[in-house]
């Protein structure tokens, strides 16, 4: 939770196993380079209100048999969740 609003965001995470990939995503612009994934806000959801505000994103993915979850997620470069 942040005490100040967020204006513009990107969420990043890294797949722990090669072969995992984002096939398509929504509520942001999704990109993947190797095992690193970035989703950047859409024009209409760039603002996150302070003190518990949320934005929902989602994706469909593919894998080659292994699908462990990412160890950490970062919002604008700051770790915001650890698995």
């Amino acid at each position: 939770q942040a005490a100040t609003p967020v204006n513009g965001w990107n969420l990043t995470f890294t797949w722990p196993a090669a072969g995992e990939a984002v096939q398509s995503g929504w509520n942001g612009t999704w990109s993947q380079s190797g095992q690193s994934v970035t989703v950047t806000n859409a024009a209409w959801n760039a603002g996150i209100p302070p003190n518990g505000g949320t934005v929902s994103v989602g994706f469909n993915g593919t894998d080659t048999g292994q699908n462990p979850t990412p160890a950490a997620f970062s919002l604008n470069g700051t770790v915001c969740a650890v698995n």
Side-chain angles (χ1 to χ4, degrees):
Q1 279 188 29
T4 59
V6 174
N7 187 14
W9 54 266
N10 65 62
L11 178 72
T12 57
F13 63 91
T14 301
W15 294 117
E20 295 178 289
V22 172
Q23 183 178 37
S24 62
W26 52 91
N27 293 346
T29 301
W30 291 81
S31 63
Q32 182 168 339
S33 177
Q35 291 172 234
S36 299
V37 177
T38 301
V39 59
T40 304
N41 63 266
W44 53 268
N45 67 357
I48 303 174
N51 301 317
T54 63
V55 171
S56 295
V57 296
F59 68 93
N60 291 317
T62 61
D63 67 71
T64 58
Q66 296 183 18
N67 59 351
T69 58
F73 293 84
S74 294
L75 180 66
N76 292 346
T78 301
V79 173
C80 61
V82 177
N83 186 8

